[in-house]
Amino acid sequence: MLNTFILSIIIFSIIFLLLSNSLTSRRDKSILYNRLTISILIYSVILALVGSYLVSLYRGIGLFGGLFNTTSITQVFHIFIFILSALILQLTAFYPRRVWLADYSSIYKIVFYKFLYYSTKIVNKLAEQFKIIEYPLIILFIISGAIFLVSTSDLVSIFLSIELQSYGLYLLSTLYRNSELATRGGLTYFLLGGLSSCFILLGTSLLYTNSGSSNLDGIYVITSLSELVQENSNDPSATLYSSYYINFAFLILSIGFLFKASAAPFHFWSPDVYDAIPTIVTTFVAIVAKISIFIFLLELIHYTSNMLFSFQYSWTSNLLLSSLLSLIIGTVVGLTQFRIKRLFAYSTISHVGFILLALSINSIESIQAFIFYLMQYSISNLNAFIILISIGFSLYFLNSSNKEEKELEDKNNSPVQLISQLKGYFNINPFLALSLAITIFSFAGIPPLIGFFAKQMVLSAALDNGYIFLSFVAILTSVIGAVYYLNIIKQIFFDAEEYRVNEDLENLTIQGSISKTNKLVQNVTFELNSVVLSKSLTITISILTLMTILFIFMPREWLNLANILALILFNT
């Protein structure tokens, strides 16, 4: 019931946001809508935590004949999706910069005093994120689709859920109307996403045509019983149902989902789309969209592997092939990239190879590794994109002497596009540079960071189950992939910076006033170095970076959660 209540909250929130969006005449209210959406997600997290207790008592709850099922695994990832989405919405719910004055930075004065400044030259001029009131509304649509997809076990709701999520992502990609690149990337995403939806629809129609049931549980039962009957009966009518068709249907179905998860060889859309759309939008598209797909595939693989099949070929072999290609393509092609978001796209493809490897093995150890890898990589990827966006905000005050950087398209929406723009950034902001370096080292699997333990768990599970060749390829590609990660580190810490302070702001003195209960207390004058990143960005980056670097001191909670979820899955 609580899960239904959570979905009702999200649906009613969408309706109220639709009404308020249509009635408002001020576009700058977008910040308020984003903050409202964050509060909705936090409330959903609280309800999901309460609901997880009821789910643990009943070992899962099903509603509407399988259209919506919830288990401990789905409940945990509901909470995970809500938290990640709230963190991403912080980027548009708060202004990116603030004025820091030592004399007025005590907790008392922050709470009871108000500071106003009047220079428009330091007001945010990057992108349209504070003018688009539809942004949080579309994100709620995407979250609704993700929640339904994680919790579905019916062919009808599978297709509706993935399309609800996908259409929201298409709209989100083209939301910045002044960006020609974003429009081009969104159209590419829409056309190729429609192609992948055709594969999903074909796979679901084949499953229904062959079994006569749209419920996945019914398909599992029918296929298992048919296989037993065919083995123990000479009656020709017993062979009318061809149970081996389920492998071909699931194979076609998996192609559509691998396409949407940007796994090789269906990855070719993702580098172009990631690079074209604004960085704030890329953050959501690159992270949240994949979580629901992989959790759905987890339950699909687990239950189809436990059916009473006697086939020599299983559709999960397709996932192993995709894992191998993802590891190779994501690493080798990534070596030639000089644009930072395209590099992150190929890095994601490489990590998807690790995730698919753990997913395909389907043992307790591999599922534990899969859950842990998916969660830690989502957090690390989120941190990398938030740092990239923060670097763009800090570079607003600087000019580069590099002609190539000055001629970048869509620079307002994606300030950092080239790896060369990070040259010498350690000299500009050492704390952000160190945070990015820690996150990149985690991607590369450098101990004792959290990424190392995730890769070690996947490789251990693969070796225990005899996947020696794939383990060798995974180790080799990890070593090769470290080359392009270390190239970023080299440019940040060892190359000379090419930036100087913007001439319009170099000698700028800014006037402001301190007021208390709307009464003027004091007029103040400050300089450019008093303008710093907002607390929402710095606190989020600090927490995510500390989680990455301090995992070795607090591993029990993460590992126990992954282990318990894997045991629950294999005991149901």
Side-chain angles (χ1 to χ4, degrees):
M1 294 299 293
L2 280 170
N3 288 283
T4 308
F5 190 47
I6 292 171
L7 288 169
S8 300
I9 289 174
I10 296 175
I11 292 170
F12 279 117
S13 301
I14 291 172
I15 295 172
F16 290 140
L17 282 175
L18 273 172
L19 293 174
S20 60
N21 287 351
S22 63
L23 295 174
T24 185
S25 59
R26 293 183 57 185
R27 307 296 292 181
D28 58 351
K29 288 185 178 180
S30 172
I31 291 179
L32 300 178
Y33 288 126
N34 281 280
R35 293 177 183 177
L36 175 61
T37 307
I38 290 175
S39 64
I40 292 167
L41 294 174
I42 293 173
Y43 188 51
S44 299
V45 168
I46 296 172
L47 287 176
L49 286 171
V50 176
S52 61
Y53 173 72
L54 296 176
V55 172
S56 63
L57 288 178
Y58 296 101
R59 301 181 70 178
I61 299 173
L63 299 173
F64 311 117
L67 288 176
F68 187 84
N69 290 331
T70 181
T71 62
S72 296
I73 291 179
T74 62
Q75 200 74 6
V76 167
F77 279 94
H78 288 175
I79 297 170
F80 191 57
I81 290 172
F82 290 145
I83 293 174
L84 287 183
S85 301
L87 290 175
I88 294 171
L89 280 167
Q90 279 191 107
L91 298 171
T92 49
F94 302 95
Y95 287 110
R97 288 182 289 269
R98 62 188 173 93
V99 175
W100 186 84
L101 298 173
D103 295 337
Y104 293 93
S105 296
S106 65
I107 296 177
Y108 174 78
K109 291 187 176 180
I110 288 174
V111 174
F112 293 102
Y113 286 76
K114 183 187 294 184
F115 175 76
L116 299 173
Y117 60 87
Y118 308 111
S119 177
T120 57
K121 289 185 178 181
I122 64 169
V123 174
N124 174 69
K125 295 182 185 299
L126 295 178
E128 298 180 61
Q129 66 266 32
F130 300 123
K131 300 178 183 178
I132 302 176
I133 57 178
E134 297 87 0
Y135 179 76
L137 174 66
I138 295 173
I139 282 185
L140 282 179
F141 273 109
I142 298 170
I143 293 171
S144 301
I147 296 303
F148 277 116
L149 183 61
V150 167
S151 302
T152 187
S153 63
D154 191 274
L155 297 178
V156 176
S157 54
I158 287 171
F159 186 74
L160 292 178
S161 302
I162 192 64
E163 287 306 290
L164 178 60
Q165 174 179 289
S166 298
Y167 275 99
L169 292 171
Y170 306 150
L171 291 173
L172 202 64
S173 299
T174 56
L175 199 59
Y176 285 62
R177 301 178 184 90
N178 69 333
S179 172
E180 181 182 344
L181 283 178
T183 304
R184 187 194 314 161
L187 286 174
T188 301
Y189 192 13
F190 170 69
L191 293 173
L192 296 178
L195 177 63
S196 64
S197 298
C198 293
F199 282 100
I200 295 174
L201 189 60
L202 177 59
T204 54
S205 61
L206 288 175
L207 285 171
Y208 179 74
T209 302
N210 190 46
S211 64
S213 173
S214 65
N215 189 277
L216 289 179
D217 292 336
I219 294 174
Y220 302 151
V221 172
I222 292 171
T223 305
S224 300
L225 291 176
S226 174
E227 189 69 20
L228 288 175
V229 170
Q230 291 178 30
E231 288 180 356
N232 299 286
S233 175
N234 294 321
D235 185 3
S237 63
T239 62
L240 292 177
Y241 177 83
S242 301
S243 57
Y244 61 84
Y245 283 171
I246 194 172
N247 262 320
F248 300 105
F250 276 127
L251 174 63
I252 295 172
L253 187 71
S254 67
I255 289 174
F257 281 104
L258 291 176
F259 206 110
K260 291 185 180 293
S262 69
F266 315 106
H267 66 285
F268 43 84
W269 62 269
S270 61
D272 294 330
V273 172
Y274 284 20
D275 191 43
I277 61 180
T279 306
I280 286 179
V281 177
T282 310
T283 306
F284 196 88
V285 172
I287 298 170
V288 177
K290 292 180 174 57
I291 297 173
S292 57
I293 293 174
F294 283 125
I295 298 304
F296 169 74
L297 287 176
L298 167 64
E299 299 195 348
L300 199 65
I301 288 171
H302 176 71
Y303 291 113
T304 54
S305 298
N306 289 336
M307 287 190 290
L308 302 177
F309 284 170
S310 61
F311 309 142
Q312 294 181 350
Y313 169 79
S314 174
W315 70 277
T316 55
S317 302
N318 178 53
L319 300 183
L320 286 173
L321 177 61
S322 179
S323 171
L324 176 64
L325 294 175
S326 297
L327 289 168
I328 296 172
I329 293 173
T331 301
V332 175
V333 183
L335 292 172
T336 64
Q337 302 304 312
F338 60 92
R339 298 181 67 87
I340 185 69
K341 287 196 291 182
R342 289 183 69 88
L343 179 61
F344 280 173
Y346 282 106
S347 170
T348 298
I349 293 168
S350 177
H351 287 282
V352 164
F354 276 94
I355 293 172
L356 288 175
L357 176 59
L359 192 60
S360 305
I361 297 171
N362 194 38
S363 64
I364 293 179
E365 294 80 7
S366 69
I367 297 305
Q368 179 184 356
F370 162 79
I371 293 171
F372 179 71
Y373 200 110
L374 183 61
M375 296 181 76
Q376 69 83 25
Y377 181 69
S378 299
I379 290 172
S380 299
N381 211 16
L382 173 62
N383 195 31
F385 276 106
I386 292 179
I387 293 172
L388 199 64
I389 291 167
S390 301
I391 291 174
F393 288 133
S394 66
L395 294 182
Y396 169 71
F397 302 106
L398 305 173
N399 280 335
S400 174
S401 59
N402 191 322
K403 182 180 178 181
E404 186 180 16
E405 295 176 16
K406 291 181 179 180
E407 296 177 352
L408 287 174
E409 293 185 75
D410 205 22
K411 193 172 182 180
N412 285 339
N413 295 321
S414 298
V416 180
Q417 299 181 31
L418 306 176
I419 298 175
S420 60
Q421 289 180 264
L422 301 176
K423 282 184 178 179
Y425 189 76
F426 178 75
N427 300 319
I428 299 172
N429 191 325
F431 295 103
L432 270 183
L434 286 171
S435 297
L436 182 58
I438 290 168
T439 306
I440 288 174
F441 280 137
S442 180
F443 286 163
I446 305 296
L449 303 178
I450 192 171
F452 165 77
F453 294 99
K455 289 187 176 182
Q456 184 268 335
M457 290 173 67
V458 173
L459 292 172
S460 176
L463 289 171
D464 288 344
N465 288 272
Y467 294 90
I468 298 174
F469 175 72
L470 275 173
S471 301
F472 173 75
V473 172
I475 294 170
L476 188 62
T477 52
S478 293
V479 174
I480 297 173
V483 173
Y484 57 69
Y485 291 129
L486 293 176
N487 178 49
I488 301 176
I489 302 298
K490 168 187 169 295
Q491 298 205 37
I492 292 174
F493 289 91
F494 299 105
D495 288 357
E497 74 271 16
E498 299 176 344
Y499 293 99
R500 54 184 174 79
V501 178
N502 190 329
E503 295 176 356
D504 296 333
L505 305 174
E506 191 169 6
N507 299 314
L508 181 69
T509 56
I510 307 163
Q511 301 295 323
S513 63
I514 304 293
S515 63
K516 183 179 181 181
T517 62
N518 296 324
K519 293 182 179 180
L520 179 65
V521 176
Q522 181 182 354
N523 289 319
V524 295
T525 301
F526 57 95
E527 296 181 352
L528 192 61
N529 55 11
S530 296
V531 182
V532 296
L533 288 174
S534 68
K535 291 188 286 290
S536 63
L537 288 174
T538 54
I539 291 173
T540 303
I541 291 171
S542 301
I543 292 174
L544 295 177
T545 304
L546 288 174
M547 290 174 65
T548 302
I549 197 172
L550 298 179
F551 169 76
I552 192 171
F553 298 107
M554 49 175 187
R556 181 172 299 177
E557 291 77 10
W558 286 69
L559 296 178
N560 284 350
L561 174 64
N563 190 31
I564 290 170
L565 291 176
L567 289 172
I568 290 173
L569 182 66
F570 275 84
N571 288 329
T572 54

